[in-house]
Amino acid sequence: MNSFDEFLAMGGYGFYVWTAYGIGFVVLVMNVVLPLIQRKQFLRELALKQKRVKK
Amino acid sequence: MSIVPAPILRFYHRMASPPHFYSFTDKLLPWLIAIFLLLLAYGLYAGLYLAPTDYQQGDSYRIIYLHVPAAWMSLFIYVIMAMAGAISLIWRMKIAEVVMISSAPIGASFTFVALVTGSLWGKPMWGTWWVWDARLTSELILLFLYLGVISLYGAIEDKRTAARAVAILALVGVVNIPIIHYSVQWWNTLHQGPTVSKMDKPSIHVDMLIPLLVMAVAFKFYYAIAMLQTAKVEILKREQNTQWVKKLLEAKT
């Protein structure tokens, strides 16, 4: 457990290192997840539109 | 007679067609994601755990494994975006327009990550979050170029006209790329000089260098994944009134 604590501490620079990686992680995940959500949403809208046209 | 082999030419023409590009992307993505995750896992493990502590900077230097690959990507993606812009201006190729505009948010993200992680590295090492140093300032201009590309595209209603305007802006902005690259040599201020790309011998230990290169390759795959995901949305929006999108919708419901 001690060595894991040491790993997290990053020789006293833990705050800087983990904040950097945390922000990087959030930004990179957003770039993949947002287009997925947008596509689902757009396809749903398009399907609704087509149904209306058929009726 | 063409100097390009026939199969490559055929592939190029198929990829120029949106429905083919769309279905090819679907087949490619799982592979790209698998390779990316493997490289990322190894790169992070090697960078954050295996690599030795730096004798001057302690463990703070480990930000390098995010900071430097992100900064490289910010330039790499800009060049791809400008090249796609040139192709779309010359050949009016729809897919090139889509690649160009889908690259912009990812490039902007990497630029943002490079700036923020640089700031988080600069605070403990330089004692300041920000200086108006040439490298930092030119990278900030790059972020504004990306944001300019994104807003210009959004501001013009007709997407083909928008793509032409954006392509010109992207090409003009290319002038910033060598400025960023050489800034640490032309203006010797706070940002450190190159450690990896020095022609003779990189001044970095090989155990520190390998994770850096692995992360750089991982980010190339990440770019492909994120760009293609974004491109799929863009293609659907542009092609919503075509037969193939209607068929795609029917197949889904």
Side-chain angles (χ1 to χ4, degrees):
Chain A
M1 210 46 218
N2 203 13
S3 74
F4 187 68
D5 285 347
E6 252 170 51
F7 174 70
L8 285 185
M10 280 286 155
Y13 295 112
F15 168 75
Y16 299 104
V17 173
W18 297 119
T19 309
Y21 280 88
I23 290 172
F25 180 78
V26 170
V27 171
L28 296 196
V29 166
M30 255 170 43
N31 270 321
V32 181
V33 172
L34 283 182
L36 272 177
I37 296 172
Q38 282 171 353
R39 186 169 78 226
K40 286 238 169 76
Q41 212 172 352
F42 182 72
L43 284 175
R44 209 178 308 134
E45 277 167 27
L46 208 57
L48 275 175
K49 222 200 279 178
Q50 277 189 10
K51 239 184 235 166
R52 244 178 281 140
V53 173
K54 266 182 197 158
K55 273 176 195 171
Chain B
M1 271 303 277
S2 163
I3 47 162
V4 184
I8 294 179
L9 215 59
R10 222 176 301 134
F11 180 75
Y12 176 83
H13 284 299
R14 279 177 66 94
M15 281 306 107
S17 125
H20 280 122
F21 183 86
Y22 194 92
S23 64
F24 180 74
T25 300
D26 272 342
K27 279 178 219 140
L28 200 63
L29 272 169
W31 296 100
L32 295 175
I33 293 169
I35 297 170
F36 164 66
L37 289 176
L38 282 174
L39 288 169
L40 180 76
Y42 179 75
L44 286 177
Y45 172 66
L48 292 172
Y49 185 74
L50 289 183
T53 302
D54 187 73
Y55 79 102
Q56 277 184 325
Q57 302 199 354
D59 284 317
S60 77
Y61 95 95
R62 292 184 197 278
I63 293 175
I64 200 176
Y65 298 114
L66 183 56
H67 175 71
V68 169
W72 282 342
M73 288 311 290
S74 71
L75 302 183
F76 176 82
I77 294 174
Y78 196 93
V79 173
I80 299 274
M81 186 174 84
M83 274 165 42
I87 292 172
S88 69
L89 279 180
I90 300 167
W91 290 294
R92 298 287 142 84
M93 188 181 168
K94 280 185 199 165
I95 293 299
E97 293 173 8
V98 170
V99 167
M100 172 185 69
I101 198 58
S102 306
S103 296
I106 307 148
S109 300
F110 275 118
T111 313
F112 174 77
V113 168
L115 286 166
V116 169
T117 56
S119 189
L120 281 159
W121 193 3
K123 183 63 185 164
M125 288 302 111
W126 297 341
T128 175
W129 299 102
W130 182 264
V131 283
W132 292 100
D133 149 286
R135 173 58 68 83
L136 277 67
T137 308
S138 53
E139 185 75 11
L140 185 64
I141 291 172
L142 185 70
L143 180 63
F144 292 147
L145 277 170
Y146 276 123
L147 296 180
V149 160
I150 295 167
S151 6
L152 183 61
Y153 189 72
I156 301 173
E157 193 74 38
D158 177 63
K159 287 311 162 196
R160 301 222 66 187
T161 315
R164 283 176 66 189
V166 162
I168 293 165
L169 174 62
L171 282 167
V172 171
V174 166
V175 72
N176 192 34
I177 297 298
I179 295 179
I180 297 174
H181 182 77
Y182 291 110
S183 57
V184 285
Q185 285 159 346
W186 292 343
W187 301 280
N188 199 349
T189 49
L190 202 47
H191 195 286
Q192 68 183 63
T195 37
V196 179
S197 66
K198 274 193 292 193
M199 276 320 217
D200 44 350
K201 204 170 126 208
S203 55
I204 176 172
H205 191 273
V206 68
D207 288 343
M208 290 179 170
L209 181 63
I210 287 169
L212 189 62
L213 298 180
V214 171
M215 287 297 283
V217 178
F219 278 1
K220 297 280 188 302
F221 280 91
Y222 170 83
Y223 162 58
I225 294 162
M227 188 270 282
L228 291 174
Q229 294 278 28
T230 315
K232 278 167 81 175
V233 184
E234 184 64 29
I235 289 174
L236 282 177
K237 284 190 177 161
R238 283 170 165 229
E239 303 268 304
Q240 52 180 294
N241 296 321
T242 60
Q243 220 43 50
W244 75 269
V245 172
K246 279 179 189 142
K247 270 189 194 149
L248 189 93
L249 264 184
E250 278 162 20
K252 284 213 166 164
T253 47

